[in-house]
């Protein structure tokens, strides 16, 4: 299951969200080869993503199993990930189970 395709600036890849296992992640598909490579790999459901105007960076919003949402950015190949914002889904004093 693939969703939300976006072309890379150089047209060499198409970025997509993919349902695979318990989480939805971002993948890149080679536009000439069809080769699928995983870009994100954190235990998150990626809700949306966008490429920067120059195509060098990727930003996404993800949610973990405790409903914490985060906005992350990385290079367009998924390296150098950093959090821009973390929004807790539940109060800190609420007991949660895995």
């Amino acid at each position: 299951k693939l969703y939300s395709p976006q072309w890379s600036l150089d047209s060499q890849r198409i970025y997509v969200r993919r349902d695979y296992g318990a989480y939805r992640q971002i993948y890149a598909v080679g536009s000439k080869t069809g080769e699928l490579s995983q870009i994100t790999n954190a235990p998150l459901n990626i809700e949306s993503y966008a490429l920067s105007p120059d195509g060098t960076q990727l930003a996404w919003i993800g949610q973990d199993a405790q409903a914490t949402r985060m906005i992350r950015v990385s290079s367009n190949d998924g390296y150098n990930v950093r959090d821009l914002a973390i929004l807790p889904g539940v109060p800190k004093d609420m007991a949660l189970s895995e």
Side-chain angles (χ1 to χ4, degrees), residues 11-76:
S11 298
Q12 297 299 308
R13 291 169 291 196
I14 301 168
Y15 290 89
V16 295
R17 287 184 302 147
R18 179 184 185 201
D19 284 348
Y20 189 72
Y23 299 107
R24 182 175 290 159
Q25 298 292 321
I26 300 171
Y27 286 74
V29 180
S31 61
K32 294 182 180 170
T33 65
E35 182 180 335
L36 191 66
S37 59
Q38 189 170 353
I39 302 296
T40 60
N41 59 16
L44 299 173
N45 279 318
I46 306 296
E47 298 172 345
S48 62
Y49 71 97
L51 288 164
S52 63
D54 66 1
T56 62
Q57 294 187 337
L58 185 64
W60 65 91
I61 299 171
Q63 181 176 345
D64 69 14
Q66 286 79 36
T68 299
R69 282 199 165 89
M70 49 207 72
I71 301 172
R72 290 185 167 170
V73 295
S74 73
S75 55
N76 64 7

Side-chain angles (χ1 to χ4, degrees), residues 86-97:
I86 298 175
L87 308 165
V90 297
K92 291 183 186 230
D93 60 348
M94 181 181 283
L96 298 173
S97 69

Side-chain angles (χ1 to χ4, degrees), residues 77-90:
D77 57 7
Y79 291 102
N80 304 314
V81 176
R82 62 187 170 94
D83 291 335
L84 292 182
I86 298 175
L87 308 165
V90 297

